[in-house]
Amino acid sequence: MMSQALATPAAHVLAVDDSLTMRELLRSALSEAGYAVTLASDGREALVRLAETTPDLIVTDLNMPHLDGFGLIEAVRSGVQAARIPILVLTTETGAELKDRARRMGATGWIGKPFDDAALVATIRRVLPG
Amino acid sequence: MPTSTDLRAIFFEEADELLTALDEGLRAMSEGHAASEVINAVFRAVHSIKGGAAAFALHDLVAFAHSFESLLDELRTGTRLPDPDCIATLIEAADHLADLVTCERGGTAADPDQIRHALDRLKAFGQSGPSQIRVELPFDPVPLAALDPLPLAFDALPLVEQTAPPARVSIRFRPHPDALRSGHEPALILRDLAEIGEMQVLLDHSALTEAAAFDPTSSYLSWTITLQTDRTEAEIRAVFDFIALHADIDISTETEERPAPAAADRMPAPPSPPPLPAPAAPSAPRPVTADGLRDAAAAAQKATLRVDVERVDRLVNVAGELVIHNAMLTDAINRRPAADPHEVARSLDQLRQLSRMIQDSAMAIRAQPVKPLFDRMHRILREAAAATGKKARLDIVGEATEVDRTIIERLADPLTHMVRNAVDHGIELPERRRAAGKPEAGTVRIEAQHRSGRILIIVSDDGGGIDRARVQQIATERGLIPPTADLAPADVDALLFLPGFSTAKSVSALSGRGVGMDVVRSAILALGGRIGITSTPGEGTALRISLPLTLAVMDGMVVRAGGQPLVLPLSSIVETLSLDGADLHALGDGGRLVQLRGQCLPILGVAAALGLTQASVRPEDQVIIVVEREDKSRLALIVDGIDDQRQIVIKSLDENYGHIPGIAAATVLGDGSVALIIDPAELVQARSPRASLTAFSAAAE
Amino acid sequence: MQTVVLDPAPLASPASAETGETASSPIPDSGLAEGGRGAKPREFIAFRAQGQDFCIDILAVREIRGWTRAAALPHAPHYVEGVINLRGAIVPIFDLAAKLGLPRIREHDRNVIIVTVVGKRVVGLLVETVTDIFSAASDAMHPVPDLTREETHVALSGMIVDSDRLIRIVDLEALLPSQAEGG
């Protein structure tokens, strides 16, 4: 697969989405590209994962139960450990306002939904050193 | 690694769950619970279906979910109130969404007229609203184009036509102090710029403060970059789009005649759309090819199972133990001198226990709660009530009860029919209910519970009960019973299950789908289940279904009759006794009874009842097996002998052949031969379908 | 709840996994099979029952196996031999001759069972012997004359005249008792 050449070896991505389908799509695309993947189904679970491990990147949906993407960004940016970690938010074409709000709160970039595997990996590479 | 067909299967699996959540949420809203978390959950359900559908390029689904979502968004933002009209529209939309999911799953195209109609209704409602949040262009019928990130349009044209001469671009790039806190890394931006042209960089570190005041999470540096590139300004700007809110970026082109203004016009200000990684791999949805469709259709056939990881782990653990134990046993058997036979026997015993544990664990994997199935009945009830002009609500009890997945799947049709029936024939019209002093809305209740190794499902209503005079009249007209028949109330009720009872007259627009209660009954029987009906005039009717927890394995007694092995379910056997010396009495013409502890039980020869050739076995060698049926009535079966008592694996006969009255299924014995599994309750009816109705309820007393 | 997604097929009994398998090829190669490749003709497998030649479309054949004693089925039509265990699946066996109104095929070790797939069902045909595989173009097929008995007429979809042989094409669909009750 072409994307393997692009991958940062063993870079660790925390992917957060309340949709099982999206989680599995992310898992599939990311692991195919050689990333280590941790999944969380909402912001709250993501914070639990963040307490256990420090990923190199967070990819998160915005609209989620319990703790949404904005809450997650806020929590991450106000912490110390993961404060500088790049965060990419998943948005759709109608979500321009949401996207800007997320960026103002500290999101590093965004990934348009639906994404294609190569675009996802290329976007990650824009914000992930290595 | 999951393939795209696996992912697709996951999507449909999840879509089902989301549709259930959607239904639940809308139901709560219709009951007046319009808390923001309820609306949010409903919105998320539709949103997630749309997201997944877009990933698999399911256009119809995306288009409809999008319109649906827009309406929900108005509720969410408070620009529209969830009044009854609105909720009715949403419920209708949810039903249509479910239909679309079903179509996409089956790979069949939804009726375009219906889609348009549903979309129109949704949009008409959206426009009729008191206010709208955004005035959008009418929704694009090919929504995925709209979902494409904007730059596609940019790249497609300029890249081909503009082989512009390399221009010198000067860029001033100064990240704001907070840029690093948003996870930006200026070095990466420089790297990306280097990839699109020849670059010279000048670092300005004048802003760096003394070490004491230095904050490592703040940004102090700025760069002046000179880039020799043939890219448009828009493309260059795209490199900065992520950081645009957190940096000052000035771009100026130094060429004379470059058509830069045009580009600048197109890309007026940040935030600009994301750049594309490569023209060859646009972030458009995967193209749909004929092959893709075929794959999708194939995938639609493939079911997946979502299982609690713990259950899988348990199975894997036991399987591991089995391997170890197997090695130990082999060792014990091969040992020289031979191991103590007791040791081997003990070891074999453990092996049997392990097998049982594996089997239980494997069954647990297939076990699923009945909730999704039961929840689907809300819609059935709603539609049935609407079609008949009745008011009804659904009560669900024991939705967490787990049962084998196959049973759940095959219960869907009978349950649907029973719920429809309860509304159509059970619940009375509102006026009549009022006159009877009942609430206008009737209640249909579905209840599931575990009882002694089986699952019990009760579908009851608080309607008028069975009109027995009418039932008897219909049965007489159809020639199902003689006009003079004097039937007990329970026997009249049982007539409903007779094939051919379901009449044209009793069939309304709703239940008129060619399904009678006899079909429900055979579906339940085919699952190894039983069904019974009770009814109280004026108070309602209850159907009780008892089902095995699994279809795969059961304890059975292997017997011989008619020269071949047969299996009786152990759960139905009360006791066995030798025919020789039993207290037998002749009854009428060829009938026989056995008297056992004060009870008189009718006797039935299994071989004769099944129409098998009688083997020449001396009567004194034959065995009586007393079996008990669901309704507690007992029956003495005569077989030629008992061979074994063991666990048997149940194999379907229906799959390749069809249902045989009196036979529940088949199994394969140790020698590879087939043995049929007897269904004691049906055995009686197989012999004389009509007489059995009364003969045995009398005998049971 | 942490969950995993499983494909239930491997969890099901080997029998059902077996049923999902596409036609394997334990069919004897008579050498004639190469006959009409590329052209339109269909390939048939020919067999004999009670002295008459029959055939079925080879695409419907899953395997051919030796005679196995079948367990009798209660209340079954006279041409139903019973059911056998085919690697865990319960497969009904039909006596083709009996179905056509001929005497039943006598139990014999040399009889064979042609396992076929009809719709979603797997069923076995009890025949005396499989003779060959041949191909025939559609213009070589003739309708069954009206003079034949009703039973014969119903169970045959046509006839093929192949040099000196008259081969009857069996209509597998018609052969099966309708799945009226149950599943």
Coordinates of all heavy atoms in Angstrom, one line a residue, chain B residues 10 302-309 312 315 365-366 405 522 526 564 609-612 651-661 663 666-668 672-676 686, chain C residues 1-8 11-16 19 71-77 80 83-85 88-92 94 120-123 177-179 181-183:
Chain B
I10 N -20.4 -3.8 9.5 CA -20.4 -3.1 10.8 C -21.3 -1.9 10.7 O -22.1 -1.6 11.6 CB -19.0 -2.6 11.2 CG1 -18.2 -3.9 11.5 CG2 -19.0 -1.7 12.4 CD1 -16.7 -3.6 11.7
K302 N -23.9 -11.1 4.4 CA -23.1 -11.6 5.4 C -23.4 -10.9 6.8 O -23.3 -9.7 6.9 CB -21.6 -11.3 5.1 CG -20.6 -12.0 6.0 CD -19.3 -11.8 5.5 CE -18.2 -12.0 6.5 NZ -16.9 -11.6 6.1
A303 N -23.8 -11.7 7.7 CA -24.2 -11.1 9.0 C -23.0 -11.1 9.9 O -22.1 -11.9 9.8 CB -25.3 -12.0 9.6
T304 N -22.9 -10.1 10.8 CA -21.9 -10.1 11.8 C -22.5 -10.1 13.2 O -23.7 -9.8 13.3 CB -21.0 -8.9 11.7 OG1 -21.8 -7.7 11.8 CG2 -20.3 -8.8 10.3
L305 N -21.7 -10.3 14.1 CA -22.2 -10.5 15.5 C -21.4 -9.6 16.3 O -20.2 -9.6 16.3 CB -22.0 -11.9 15.9 CG -22.8 -12.7 16.8 CD1 -24.3 -12.6 16.4 CD2 -22.3 -14.1 16.9
R306 N -22.1 -8.7 17.2 CA -21.3 -7.9 18.1 C -21.3 -8.6 19.4 O -22.4 -8.9 20.0 CB -21.9 -6.5 18.2 CG -21.5 -5.8 16.9 CD -22.0 -4.3 17.1 NE -21.2 -3.6 18.1 CZ -21.6 -2.5 18.6 NH1 -22.7 -1.9 18.2 NH2 -20.9 -1.9 19.5
V307 N -20.2 -8.9 20.0 CA -20.1 -9.7 21.2 C -19.3 -9.0 22.2 O -18.2 -8.4 21.9 CB -19.5 -11.1 20.9 CG1 -19.4 -11.9 22.1 CG2 -20.3 -11.8 19.8
D308 N -19.7 -9.1 23.4 CA -19.0 -8.6 24.6 C -17.6 -9.3 24.6 O -17.6 -10.6 24.6 CB -19.8 -9.0 25.8 CG -19.2 -8.3 27.1 OD1 -18.1 -7.9 27.0 OD2 -20.0 -8.1 28.0
V309 N -16.5 -8.6 24.6 CA -15.2 -9.2 24.6 C -15.0 -10.2 25.6 O -14.4 -11.3 25.4 CB -14.1 -8.1 24.7 CG1 -12.8 -8.7 25.0 CG2 -14.1 -7.2 23.5
V312 N -15.9 -13.6 24.6 CA -15.0 -14.3 23.7 C -13.8 -14.8 24.5 O -13.3 -15.9 24.3 CB -14.6 -13.3 22.6 CG1 -13.5 -13.9 21.7 CG2 -15.8 -12.8 21.8
L315 N -14.4 -18.0 26.2 CA -14.4 -19.1 25.3 C -12.9 -19.5 25.0 O -12.5 -20.6 25.0 CB -15.1 -18.8 24.0 CG -15.1 -19.8 23.0 CD1 -15.8 -21.1 23.5 CD2 -15.9 -19.3 21.7
I365 N -21.9 -16.5 23.2 CA -21.6 -15.6 22.1 C -22.7 -15.3 21.2 O -22.9 -14.2 20.7 CB -20.4 -16.2 21.3 CG1 -19.1 -16.0 22.1 CG2 -20.3 -15.6 20.0 CD1 -17.9 -16.4 21.4
R366 N -23.5 -16.3 21.0 CA -24.7 -16.2 20.1 C -25.9 -15.5 20.8 O -26.8 -15.1 20.1 CB -25.1 -17.5 19.5 CG -24.1 -18.0 18.5 CD -24.6 -19.2 17.8 NE -25.9 -18.9 17.1 CZ -26.0 -18.5 15.9 NH1 -24.9 -18.3 15.2 NH2 -27.2 -18.2 15.4
R405 N -29.3 -15.8 18.9 CA -29.5 -14.8 17.8 C -30.4 -15.4 16.7 O -31.3 -14.6 16.2 CB -28.1 -14.6 17.2 CG -28.1 -13.6 16.1 CD -26.7 -13.7 15.5 NE -26.8 -13.1 14.2 CZ -26.7 -11.8 13.9 NH1 -26.5 -11.0 14.9 NH2 -26.8 -11.4 12.7
S522 N -46.7 -22.5 13.3 CA -45.7 -23.3 12.7 C -44.3 -22.7 12.8 O -43.3 -23.4 12.9 CB -46.0 -23.8 11.2 OG -47.0 -23.0 10.7
A526 N -41.3 -24.6 14.5 CA -40.1 -24.9 13.8 C -38.9 -24.4 14.6 O -37.8 -24.9 14.4 CB -40.1 -24.1 12.5
Q564 N -35.8 -47.9 13.7 CA -34.8 -46.8 13.6 C -34.6 -46.0 14.9 O -35.6 -45.9 15.7 CB -35.0 -46.0 12.4 CG -36.2 -45.0 12.5 CD -36.4 -44.2 11.2 OE1 -36.5 -44.8 10.1 NE2 -36.4 -42.9 11.3
A609 N -47.6 -43.8 15.3 CA -48.0 -42.4 15.2 C -47.2 -41.8 14.0 O -47.7 -40.8 13.4 CB -47.7 -41.7 16.5
L610 N -46.0 -42.3 13.8 CA -45.1 -41.7 12.8 C -45.3 -42.4 11.4 O -44.7 -42.0 10.5 CB -43.7 -41.7 13.2 CG -43.3 -40.8 14.4 CD1 -41.8 -40.9 14.7 CD2 -43.6 -39.3 14.0
G611 N -46.1 -43.4 11.4 CA -46.3 -44.1 10.2 C -45.1 -44.9 9.8 O -44.9 -45.2 8.6
L612 N -44.3 -45.3 10.8 CA -43.1 -46.1 10.5 C -43.5 -47.6 10.5 O -44.4 -48.0 11.2 CB -42.0 -45.9 11.4 CG -41.5 -44.4 11.4 CD1 -40.5 -44.2 12.6 CD2 -40.8 -44.1 10.1
K651 N -30.1 -30.6 14.2 CA -29.9 -30.2 12.8 C -31.2 -29.9 12.2 O -32.2 -30.7 12.4 CB -29.2 -31.4 12.0 CG -27.9 -31.8 12.6 CD -26.8 -30.9 12.2 CE -25.5 -31.4 12.6 NZ -24.4 -30.4 12.3
S652 N -31.3 -28.9 11.4 CA -32.5 -28.6 10.8 C -33.0 -29.5 9.7 O -32.2 -29.9 8.8 CB -32.4 -27.2 10.2 OG -33.5 -27.0 9.3
L653 N -34.2 -29.9 9.7 CA -34.8 -30.7 8.6 C -35.4 -29.7 7.6 O -35.6 -30.0 6.4 CB -35.9 -31.6 9.2 CG -35.6 -33.0 9.4 CD1 -36.8 -33.7 10.0 CD2 -35.1 -33.8 8.2
D654 N -35.9 -28.6 8.1 CA -36.6 -27.7 7.3 C -35.8 -27.1 6.2 O -36.2 -26.8 5.1 CB -37.1 -26.5 8.2 CG -38.1 -26.9 9.2 OD1 -38.3 -28.1 9.3 OD2 -38.6 -26.1 10.0
E655 N -34.4 -27.0 6.5 CA -33.6 -26.3 5.6 C -33.6 -27.0 4.2 O -33.7 -26.3 3.2 CB -32.1 -26.4 6.1 CG -31.3 -25.2 5.8 CD -30.1 -25.3 6.7 OE1 -30.1 -24.8 7.9 OE2 -29.1 -25.9 6.3
N656 N -33.5 -28.3 4.2 CA -33.4 -29.0 2.9 C -34.7 -29.8 2.6 O -34.9 -30.2 1.4 CB -32.2 -30.0 2.9 CG -30.9 -29.2 2.9 OD1 -30.8 -28.2 2.3 ND2 -29.9 -29.8 3.5
Y657 N -35.6 -29.9 3.5 CA -36.7 -30.7 3.3 C -38.0 -30.0 3.6 O -38.7 -29.5 2.7 CB -36.7 -32.0 4.0 CG -37.8 -33.0 3.7 CD1 -37.8 -33.7 2.5 CD2 -38.8 -33.2 4.6 CE1 -38.9 -34.5 2.2 CE2 -39.8 -34.1 4.4 CZ -39.9 -34.7 3.1 OH -40.9 -35.6 2.9
G658 N -38.3 -29.8 4.8 CA -39.5 -29.2 5.2 C -40.0 -29.7 6.6 O -39.3 -30.6 7.1
H659 N -41.0 -29.2 7.1 CA -41.5 -29.6 8.4 C -42.3 -30.9 8.3 O -43.1 -31.1 7.4 CB -42.3 -28.5 9.0 CG -42.8 -28.8 10.4 ND1 -42.0 -28.9 11.4 CD2 -44.1 -29.1 10.8 CE1 -42.7 -29.2 12.5 NE2 -44.0 -29.3 12.2
I660 N -42.0 -31.8 9.3 CA -42.7 -33.0 9.3 C -43.5 -33.0 10.6 O -42.9 -32.8 11.7 CB -41.8 -34.2 9.3 CG1 -40.9 -34.2 8.1 CG2 -42.6 -35.5 9.5 CD1 -39.8 -35.3 8.1
P661 N -44.8 -33.1 10.6 CA -45.6 -33.1 11.8 C -45.1 -34.2 12.8 O -44.8 -35.3 12.4 CB -47.0 -33.5 11.3 CG -47.0 -33.2 9.9 CD -45.6 -33.4 9.4
I663 N -42.2 -34.2 14.2 CA -40.7 -34.2 14.2 C -40.2 -32.8 14.4 O -40.6 -31.9 13.6 CB -40.2 -34.8 12.9 CG1 -40.7 -36.3 12.7 CG2 -38.7 -34.8 12.9 CD1 -40.3 -37.3 13.7
A666 N -33.6 -33.0 13.4 CA -32.9 -34.3 13.3 C -31.5 -34.1 14.0 O -31.2 -33.0 14.3 CB -32.7 -34.7 11.8
T667 N -30.9 -35.2 14.2 CA -29.5 -35.1 14.7 C -28.7 -36.2 14.1 O -29.2 -37.1 13.4 CB -29.5 -35.3 16.3 OG1 -28.2 -34.9 16.7 CG2 -29.9 -36.7 16.7
V668 N -27.4 -36.1 14.3 CA -26.5 -37.1 13.8 C -25.9 -37.9 14.9 O -25.4 -37.3 15.9 CB -25.3 -36.5 12.9 CG1 -24.3 -37.6 12.5 CG2 -25.9 -35.8 11.7
G672 N -22.7 -41.7 12.7 CA -22.8 -40.9 11.5 C -24.2 -41.1 10.9 O -24.5 -40.4 9.9
S673 N -25.1 -41.9 11.5 CA -26.4 -42.1 10.9 C -27.3 -41.0 11.5 O -27.0 -40.3 12.5 CB -27.0 -43.4 11.3 OG -27.2 -43.5 12.7
V674 N -28.4 -40.7 10.8 CA -29.4 -39.7 11.2 C -30.4 -40.2 12.1 O -31.0 -41.3 11.8 CB -30.0 -39.1 9.9 CG1 -31.0 -38.0 10.3 CG2 -28.9 -38.5 9.0
A675 N -30.8 -39.5 13.1 CA -31.9 -39.9 14.0 C -32.8 -38.7 14.0 O -32.4 -37.5 14.1 CB -31.5 -40.3 15.4
L676 N -34.1 -38.9 13.9 CA -35.1 -37.8 14.0 C -35.4 -37.5 15.4 O -35.5 -38.4 16.3 CB -36.4 -38.2 13.2 CG -36.2 -38.5 11.8 CD1 -37.5 -39.0 11.1 CD2 -35.6 -37.4 11.0
A686 N -50.3 -35.2 14.9 CA -49.9 -35.8 13.6 C -50.8 -37.0 13.3 O -51.1 -37.2 12.2 CB -48.4 -36.2 13.7
Chain C
M1 N -19.7 -0.9 27.0 CA -19.4 -2.3 26.8 C -18.4 -2.4 25.6 O -18.6 -1.9 24.6 CB -20.6 -3.1 26.5 CG -20.3 -4.6 26.3 SD -21.8 -5.6 25.9 CE -22.1 -5.3 24.2
Q2 N -17.3 -3.1 25.9 CA -16.4 -3.3 24.8 C -16.8 -4.5 24.0 O -17.2 -5.6 24.6 CB -15.0 -3.6 25.4 CG -13.9 -3.4 24.4 CD -12.6 -3.9 25.0 OE1 -12.5 -4.4 26.1 NE2 -11.5 -3.9 24.1
T3 N -16.9 -4.4 22.7 CA -17.4 -5.5 22.0 C -16.5 -5.8 20.8 O -15.7 -4.9 20.4 CB -18.8 -5.2 21.4 OG1 -18.7 -4.0 20.5 CG2 -19.8 -4.9 22.4
V4 N -16.6 -6.9 20.3 CA -15.9 -7.3 19.1 C -16.9 -7.7 18.1 O -18.0 -8.0 18.4 CB -14.9 -8.5 19.3 CG1 -13.7 -8.0 20.1 CG2 -15.6 -9.6 19.9
V5 N -16.5 -7.6 16.8 CA -17.5 -7.9 15.8 C -17.0 -9.2 15.2 O -15.9 -9.4 14.8 CB -17.5 -6.8 14.7 CG1 -18.4 -7.2 13.6 CG2 -17.9 -5.5 15.3
L6 N -17.9 -10.2 15.1 CA -17.6 -11.5 14.6 C -18.5 -11.8 13.4 O -19.6 -11.3 13.3 CB -17.9 -12.5 15.7 CG -17.2 -12.5 17.0 CD1 -17.7 -13.5 18.0 CD2 -15.7 -12.6 16.8
D7 N -17.9 -12.6 12.6 CA -18.7 -13.2 11.5 C -19.3 -14.5 12.0 O -18.5 -15.4 12.4 CB -17.8 -13.4 10.3 CG -18.5 -14.2 9.2 OD1 -19.7 -14.5 9.4 OD2 -17.8 -14.4 8.2
P8 N -20.6 -14.6 12.2 CA -21.1 -15.8 12.9 C -20.9 -17.1 12.1 O -21.1 -18.2 12.7 CB -22.6 -15.5 13.1 CG -22.9 -14.4 12.1 CD -21.6 -13.7 11.7
L11 N -18.9 -19.7 13.6 CA -19.4 -20.1 14.9 C -20.5 -21.1 14.7 O -20.8 -21.9 15.6 CB -20.0 -18.9 15.7 CG -19.0 -17.9 16.1 CD1 -19.7 -16.7 16.7 CD2 -18.1 -18.5 17.1
A12 N -21.2 -21.1 13.6 CA -22.3 -22.0 13.4 C -21.8 -23.4 13.2 O -20.6 -23.6 13.1 CB -23.1 -21.6 12.2
S13 N -22.6 -24.4 13.2 CA -22.2 -25.7 13.1 C -21.5 -25.9 11.7 O -21.7 -25.2 10.8 CB -23.5 -26.6 13.1 OG -24.3 -26.3 12.0
P14 N -20.6 -26.9 11.7 CA -19.9 -27.2 10.4 C -20.9 -27.4 9.3 O -20.7 -27.1 8.1 CB -19.2 -28.5 10.7 CG -19.2 -28.7 12.2 CD -20.3 -27.9 12.7
A15 N -22.1 -27.9 9.7 CA -23.1 -28.2 8.6 C -23.5 -27.0 7.8 O -23.5 -27.0 6.6 CB -24.3 -28.8 9.3
S16 N -23.7 -25.9 8.6 CA -24.2 -24.7 7.8 C -23.0 -24.1 7.0 O -23.2 -23.5 6.0 CB -24.9 -23.7 8.7 OG -24.0 -23.4 9.8
T19 N -22.9 -25.9 3.9 CA -23.9 -25.6 2.9 C -23.6 -24.3 2.1 O -24.0 -24.1 1.0 CB -25.3 -25.3 3.6 OG1 -25.3 -26.2 4.7 CG2 -26.4 -25.6 2.7
A71 N -32.3 -42.5 6.9 CA -33.3 -42.7 7.9 C -34.6 -42.3 7.3 O -34.8 -41.3 6.7 CB -32.9 -41.8 9.1
A72 N -35.6 -43.2 7.5 CA -36.9 -43.0 7.0 C -37.6 -41.8 7.6 O -37.4 -41.5 8.8 CB -37.8 -44.3 7.2
L73 N -38.4 -41.1 6.8 CA -39.1 -39.9 7.3 C -40.6 -40.2 7.4 O -41.2 -40.8 6.5 CB -38.9 -38.7 6.3 CG -37.6 -38.1 6.2 CD1 -37.6 -37.0 5.1 CD2 -37.1 -37.6 7.5
P74 N -41.2 -39.9 8.5 CA -42.6 -40.1 8.7 C -43.4 -39.3 7.7 O -43.0 -38.2 7.3 CB -42.9 -39.7 10.1 CG -41.6 -39.5 10.7 CD -40.6 -39.3 9.7
H75 N -44.6 -39.8 7.3 CA -45.5 -39.0 6.5 C -44.9 -38.4 5.2 O -45.3 -37.4 4.8 CB -46.1 -37.8 7.3 CG -46.5 -38.2 8.7 ND1 -47.6 -39.1 8.9 CD2 -46.1 -37.9 9.9 CE1 -47.7 -39.3 10.2 NE2 -46.8 -38.6 10.8
A76 N -43.9 -39.2 4.7 CA -43.3 -38.7 3.5 C -43.9 -39.3 2.2 O -44.4 -40.4 2.3 CB -41.8 -39.0 3.6
P77 N -43.8 -38.6 1.1 CA -44.3 -39.2 -0.2 C -43.5 -40.5 -0.4 O -42.4 -40.6 0.1 CB -44.0 -38.1 -1.2 CG -43.8 -36.9 -0.4 CD -43.3 -37.2 0.9
V80 N -39.7 -40.6 -1.4 CA -38.7 -40.0 -0.5 C -38.0 -41.2 0.3 O -38.7 -41.9 1.0 CB -39.3 -39.0 0.5 CG1 -38.2 -38.5 1.5 CG2 -39.9 -37.8 -0.2
V83 N -33.6 -39.4 5.0 CA -32.5 -38.4 5.0 C -31.2 -39.0 5.4 O -31.1 -40.0 6.1 CB -32.8 -37.3 6.1 CG1 -33.9 -36.4 5.6 CG2 -33.3 -37.9 7.4
I84 N -30.1 -38.4 4.9 CA -28.8 -38.9 5.2 C -28.0 -37.7 5.8 O -28.4 -36.6 5.7 CB -28.0 -39.5 4.0 CG1 -27.8 -38.4 3.0 CG2 -28.7 -40.7 3.4 CD1 -26.7 -38.7 2.0
N85 N -26.9 -38.1 6.4 CA -26.0 -37.1 7.0 C -24.9 -36.8 6.0 O -24.1 -37.6 5.7 CB -25.4 -37.6 8.3 CG -24.2 -36.9 8.8 OD1 -24.0 -35.7 8.5 ND2 -23.3 -37.7 9.4
G88 N -22.6 -33.5 8.3 CA -23.3 -32.7 9.3 C -24.6 -32.0 8.9 O -25.4 -31.6 9.7
A89 N -24.8 -32.0 7.6 CA -26.1 -31.4 7.1 C -27.1 -32.6 6.9 O -26.7 -33.7 6.4 CB -25.9 -30.6 5.8
I90 N -28.4 -32.3 7.1 CA -29.3 -33.4 6.9 C -29.9 -33.2 5.5 O -30.5 -32.2 5.2 CB -30.5 -33.2 7.9 CG1 -29.9 -33.3 9.4 CG2 -31.5 -34.4 7.7 CD1 -29.2 -34.5 9.8
V91 N -29.7 -34.2 4.7 CA -30.0 -34.1 3.3 C -31.1 -35.1 2.9 O -30.8 -36.3 3.1 CB -28.8 -34.2 2.4 CG1 -29.1 -34.3 0.9 CG2 -27.8 -33.1 2.7
P92 N -32.2 -34.7 2.4 CA -33.2 -35.7 1.9 C -32.8 -36.4 0.6 O -32.2 -35.8 -0.2 CB -34.5 -34.9 1.7 CG -34.0 -33.5 1.5 CD -32.7 -33.3 2.2
F94 N -34.2 -38.5 -2.7 CA -35.4 -38.9 -3.5 C -35.1 -40.0 -4.4 O -34.0 -40.0 -5.0 CB -35.9 -37.6 -4.2 CG -36.2 -36.5 -3.4 CD1 -35.4 -35.4 -3.2 CD2 -37.4 -36.5 -2.7 CE1 -35.8 -34.4 -2.4 CE2 -37.8 -35.5 -1.8 CZ -36.9 -34.4 -1.7
K120 N -32.3 -23.0 -2.6 CA -31.4 -23.0 -1.4 C -31.3 -24.3 -0.8 O -30.6 -24.5 0.2 CB -32.0 -22.0 -0.4 CG -31.7 -20.5 -0.7 CD -32.3 -19.7 0.4 CE -32.0 -18.2 0.1 NZ -32.7 -17.3 1.0
R121 N -31.9 -25.3 -1.4 CA -31.9 -26.6 -0.7 C -30.9 -27.6 -1.3 O -30.6 -27.5 -2.5 CB -33.3 -27.2 -0.9 CG -34.4 -26.5 0.0 CD -35.6 -27.3 0.2 NE -36.6 -27.1 -0.8 CZ -37.7 -27.7 -0.8 NH1 -38.0 -28.7 0.0 NH2 -38.6 -27.5 -1.7
V122 N -30.4 -28.4 -0.5 CA -29.5 -29.4 -0.9 C -30.3 -30.8 -0.8 O -30.8 -31.1 0.2 CB -28.2 -29.5 0.0 CG1 -27.3 -30.6 -0.5 CG2 -27.5 -28.2 0.0
V123 N -30.4 -31.5 -1.9 CA -31.1 -32.7 -1.9 C -30.3 -33.8 -2.7 O -29.5 -33.4 -3.6 CB -32.5 -32.6 -2.6 CG1 -33.3 -31.5 -1.8 CG2 -32.4 -32.2 -4.0
P177 N -41.0 -32.0 -3.0 CA -42.3 -31.8 -2.4 C -42.3 -30.3 -2.0 O -41.2 -29.8 -1.6 CB -42.4 -32.7 -1.2 CG -41.0 -33.2 -1.0 CD -40.2 -32.9 -2.2
S178 N -43.4 -29.6 -2.1 CA -43.4 -28.2 -1.8 C -43.2 -28.1 -0.3 O -43.6 -28.9 0.5 CB -44.8 -27.6 -2.1 OG -45.8 -28.3 -1.4
Q179 N -42.4 -27.1 0.1 CA -42.1 -26.9 1.5 C -43.3 -26.2 2.1 O -43.2 -25.0 2.6 CB -40.9 -26.0 1.6 CG -39.7 -26.8 2.2 CD -38.4 -26.0 2.1 OE1 -38.3 -25.2 1.2 NE2 -37.5 -26.3 2.9
E181 N -45.2 -26.7 4.9 CA -45.2 -26.4 6.3 C -43.9 -26.0 6.8 O -42.8 -26.3 6.2 CB -45.7 -27.6 7.1 CG -47.1 -28.0 6.9 CD -47.3 -29.4 7.1 OE1 -46.9 -30.2 6.3 OE2 -48.0 -29.7 8.0
G182 N -43.9 -25.3 7.9 CA -42.6 -25.0 8.5 C -41.7 -24.1 7.7 O -42.2 -23.3 6.9
G183 N -40.4 -24.2 8.0 CA -39.4 -23.4 7.4 C -39.4 -23.3 5.9 O -38.9 -22.5 5.3

